[in-house]
């Protein structure tokens, strides 16, 4: 969509705001041109001694009234227009946000967070400016230009206007050149500032690594170079901005010189009054704004267009996960993975290679195997974060793609190894999956996840803020909060991806016992527990061992021990390790 169509459509929907703003602007323009006329008439009256005290006071009161009217109308149109233009920003941001929320992980692997942030702020601001400021400045500038030139030519003296206006096109040209340069310089400054931002963000996130590798001074010198570049770019933009005033000064001086030369001659000849000459000189000053507006509007539109060019591809980006399913709820039935093969990149060895496994309602499936075996990938396939190249996943007899994504998301609770806590209270973080949950429900879930007692020891209990602005939780506490969140959601399928890796074995056992209790109360709930620690899955109804993307062993804990394969040897090793730790 072009910028003109986007703005055109928006103006049509919000036409009352634009029309009333335009009327108010026309009022401003008329009041503005009346002032020099009034001043000219007063001067002529004074010069001719035809003005008495009362008439003078009345004239001054009229001038004051015009000034006040301009003030009120200016405030009025700005409020009217900006509230409309901000709506366009809100609309675009909402569309962008909805699109971004619907994108899968594949999309985010290709996009930098900094770029997305810049789009949601600077680029949408630029479009908003083009729809608001530029539209009205264009209208206002043109209107002022026509009225002022009209009144100079018809109301004062056409010959004088013809001569005095000669320097003005040069001013418009200079403004256009300068504002383009300012824009380039500002864009450059913004880009440099964004690399500075990226550097700060990366260094702060990786500050421990930087220290561990002794790279602080290198990072600091990179920072100072980037900061220097950003400052120079800003200075460059300021240098160009400084060129505006001399351009105004030069043009006005030239125009005033021409006006006084020819105007003086006309006054001397008796063809023009001193009052007319005064109002004419005042009109010259009023022409600065239309000239400035011309250059400014062009550059605003250019920026808006550039912003839209960057935004449009993101709004149009195909969703990495298509949400074309129609089924809104999932019936009762098994979740069946049938010969699924998935590779992250086409040429690479697949992360899952012909995997088949079934989970019946009420069952717990244990998923074990060495790091990189494909456990997380299998869960991602179930979550539809990854689309298999071949094979199929069905749930209650229907392929996963037949369900609406929303239906799948509410039927599955996923606890990744590293789960995210938002800057909110601990209760809000747990209640995330069920915003309407009561405090009692939240506490119940926290007890099931064995985090309740820890929470009571926090400064404000469940109302303690966590995340960036709150207290820092240990890895194990974070995992248990995430488990509480998932349990509160009470979905048909619970997916734990090494979600107990940071809690000690005693707590792990307690949480697993609680999970068993929960399942006894709701026999149709199923769970898949992926873990590198075998104790987390020993009680599962069935355990599969994944190695290099293939299932190599499968059965109950006892069956797998009897098989004496990878599982059995890993079990003996981990038991030994645990007994050494316990000593
Ligand atoms: P596990 O959970 O068993 O440790 P994963 O499912 O994380 O194993 O990884 C399986 C394989 O896929 C590994 O070889 C890993 O390097 C690769 N892999 C995992 N995530 C990605 C990714 N986002 N992009 C490319 N390869 C990946």
């Amino acid at each position: 969509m072009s910028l003109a169509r986007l703005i055109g459509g928006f103006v049509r929907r919000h036409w009352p705001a634009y029309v009333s703003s335009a009327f108010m602007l026309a009022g401003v323009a008329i009041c503005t041109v009346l002032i020099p006329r009034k001043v000219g008439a007063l001067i002529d009256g004074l010069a001719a001694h035809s003005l008495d005290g009362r008439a003078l006071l009345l004239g001054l009161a009229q001038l004051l009234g015009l000034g006040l009217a301009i003030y009120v109308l200016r405030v009025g149109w700005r409020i009217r227009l900006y509230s409309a233009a901000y709506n366009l920003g809100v609309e675009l941001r909402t569309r962008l946000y909805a699109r971004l929320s619907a994108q899968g992980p594949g999309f985010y692997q290709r996009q930098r967070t900094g770029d997305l942030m810049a789009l949601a702020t600077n680029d949408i601001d630029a479009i908003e400016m083009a729809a608001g400021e530029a539209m009205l400045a264009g209208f206002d500038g043109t209107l002022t230009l026509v009225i002022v030139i009209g009144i100079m030519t018809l109301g004062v003296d056409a010959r004088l206007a013809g001569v005095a206006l000669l320097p003005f096109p040069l001013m418009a040209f200079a403004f256009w050149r300068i504002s383009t340069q300012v824009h380039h310089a500002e864009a450059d400054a913004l880009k440099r500032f964004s690399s500075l931002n990226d550097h700060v963000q990366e260094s702060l996130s990786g500050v421990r690594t930087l220290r561990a590798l002794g790279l602080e001074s290198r990072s600091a010198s990179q920072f100072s170079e980037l900061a220097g570049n950003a400052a120079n770019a800003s200075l460059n933009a300021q240098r160009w901005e400084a060129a505006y005033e001399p351009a105004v000064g030069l043009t006005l001086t030239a125009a005033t010189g021409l006006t006084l030369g020819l105007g003086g001659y006309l006054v001397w000849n008796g063809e023009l009054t001193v009052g007319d000459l005064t109002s004419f000189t005042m009109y010259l000053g009023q022409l600065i704004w239309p000239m400035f507006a011309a250059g400014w509007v062009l550059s605003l539109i250019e920026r808006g267009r550039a912003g839209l060019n960057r935004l449009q591809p993101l709004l149009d980006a195909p969703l990495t996960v298509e949400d074309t399913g129609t089924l809104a709820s999932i019936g009762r039935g098994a979740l069946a993975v049938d010969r699924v093969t998935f590779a992250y990149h086409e040429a690479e060895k697949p992360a899952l290679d012909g995997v088949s496994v079934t989970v019946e309602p009420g069952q717990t499936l244990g998923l074990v195997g060495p790091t990189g075996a494909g456990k997380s990938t299998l869960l991602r396939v179930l979550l539809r974060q990854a689309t298999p190249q071949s094979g199929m996943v069905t749930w209650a007899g229907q392929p996963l793609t037949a369900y609406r994504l929303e239906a799948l998301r509410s039927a599955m609770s996923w606890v990744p190894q590293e789960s995210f806590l938002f800057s909110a209270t601990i209760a809000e973080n747990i209640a995330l999956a069920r915003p309407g949950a009561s405090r009692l429900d939240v506490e119940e879930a926290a007890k099931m996840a064995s985090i309740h007692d820890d929470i009571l020891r926090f400064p404000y209990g469940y109302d303690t803020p966590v995340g960036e602005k709150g207290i820092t939780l240990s890895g194990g506490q974070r995992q248990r909060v995430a488990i509480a969140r998932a349990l509160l959601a009470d979905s048909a399928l619970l997916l734990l991806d090494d979600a107990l890796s940071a809690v000690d074995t005693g707590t792990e056992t307690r949480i697993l016992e609680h999970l068993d209790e929960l399942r006894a109360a709701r026999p149709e709930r199923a769970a898949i527990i992926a873990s590198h620690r075998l104790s987390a899955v020993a009680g599962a109804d069935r355990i599969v061992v994944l190695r290099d993307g293939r299932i190599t062993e499968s059965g109950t804990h006892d069956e797998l021990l009897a098989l004496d394969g990878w599982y059995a040897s890993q079990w003996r090793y981990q038991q030994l390790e645990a007994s050494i730790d316990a000593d």
Side-chain angles (χ1 to χ4, degrees), residues 109 342-345 348-352 368-380 417 497-498 530 546 548-549:
Q109 270 168 12
F342 172 81
Y344 283 95
H345 301 289
E348 276 177 20
K349 198 166 77 63
L352 293 175
V368 294
T371 308
K375 303 181 290 290
S376 306
T377 308
L378 181 56
L379 297 189
R380 278 185 208 133
Q417 194 175 355
D497 190 356
D498 237 338
L546 265 181
D548 282 337

Side-chain angles (χ1 to χ4, degrees), residues 22-193:
F23 268 113
M24 287 193 253
L25 270 178
V28 170
I30 290 168
C31 292
T32 314
V33 292
L34 281 180
I35 290 178
R37 273 200 87 75
K38 199 77 219 158
V39 172
L42 284 178
I43 287 178
D44 280 344
L46 285 172
H49 299 288
S50 63
L51 212 64
D52 60 13
R54 246 187 102 237
L56 181 63
L57 272 181
L58 185 70
L60 289 177
Q62 283 171 340
L63 279 179
L64 192 69
L66 285 173
L68 273 176
I70 290 177
Y71 174 78
V72 171
L73 289 171
R74 278 221 169 108
V75 172
W77 80 254
R78 286 199 159 249
I79 292 177
R80 268 311 261 158
L81 183 78
Y82 283 119
S83 47
Y86 284 139
N87 277 333
L88 179 63
V90 172
E91 276 176 28
L92 288 173
R93 288 196 172 94
T94 310
R95 270 172 59 193
L96 178 66
Y97 187 77
R99 197 73 187 173
L100 291 181
S101 313
Q103 289 291 7
F107 174 85
Y108 289 98
Q109 270 168 12
R110 293 191 302 271
Q111 295 285 343
R112 289 167 58 137
T113 318
D115 292 344
L116 295 177
M117 294 297 286
L119 266 171
T121 50
N122 295 332
D123 288 308
I124 293 188
D125 275 348
I127 301 173
E128 210 176 277
M129 289 280 277
E133 202 99 19
M135 292 284 294
L136 266 280
F139 175 78
D140 188 25
T142 316
L143 193 71
T144 312
L145 186 73
V146 170
I147 295 181
V148 171
I149 292 187
I151 208 156
M152 279 172 133
T153 331
L154 307 175
V156 186
D157 191 286
R159 291 163 297 171
L160 188 57
V163 174
L165 292 179
L166 284 177
F168 278 88
L170 285 177
M171 174 151 80
F173 177 73
F175 276 163
W176 173 67
R177 291 282 310 156
I178 296 171
S179 70
T180 313
Q181 292 295 343
V182 166
H183 170 49
H184 288 320
E186 275 176 351
D188 185 42
L190 217 61
K191 214 166 68 202
R192 288 177 190 276
F193 188 70

Side-chain angles (χ1 to χ4, degrees), residues 458-474:
F458 294 157
Y460 306 101
Y462 277 85
D463 297 315
T464 310
V466 293
E468 278 191 0
K469 294 197 184 74
I471 60 165
T472 311
L473 303 188
S474 73

Side-chain angles (χ1 to χ4, degrees), residues 325-444:
T326 50
L327 302 177
S329 70
I330 290 141
R332 208 183 130 81
L335 176 73
V337 176
D338 185 21
R339 282 165 294 168
V340 159
T341 296
F342 172 81
Y344 283 95
H345 301 289
E346 280 185 11
E348 276 177 20
K349 198 166 77 63
L352 293 175
D353 193 357
V355 170
S356 298
V357 65
T358 306
V359 191
E360 298 291 341
Q363 262 196 349
T364 298
L365 176 76
L367 204 54
V368 294
T371 308
K375 303 181 290 290
S376 306
T377 308
L378 181 56
L379 297 189
R380 278 185 208 133
V381 167
L382 298 181
L383 288 156
R384 289 205 59 206
Q385 290 180 5
T387 309
Q389 277 88 12
S390 71
M392 174 126 149
V393 184
T394 54
W395 197 356
Q398 296 285 345
L400 281 192
T401 45
Y403 295 106
R404 301 219 314 239
L405 277 180
E406 210 184 301
L408 286 179
R409 304 240 154 101
S410 62
M412 295 183 193
S413 293
W414 172 52
V415 187
Q417 194 175 355
E418 291 288 332
S419 51
F420 191 79
L421 295 188
F422 290 88
S423 294
T425 68
I426 195 122
E428 285 164 340
N429 263 293
I430 295 177
L432 208 62
R434 231 176 78 196
S438 70
R439 178 55 65 89
L440 218 63
D441 294 335
V442 170
E443 287 186 17
E444 191 53 35

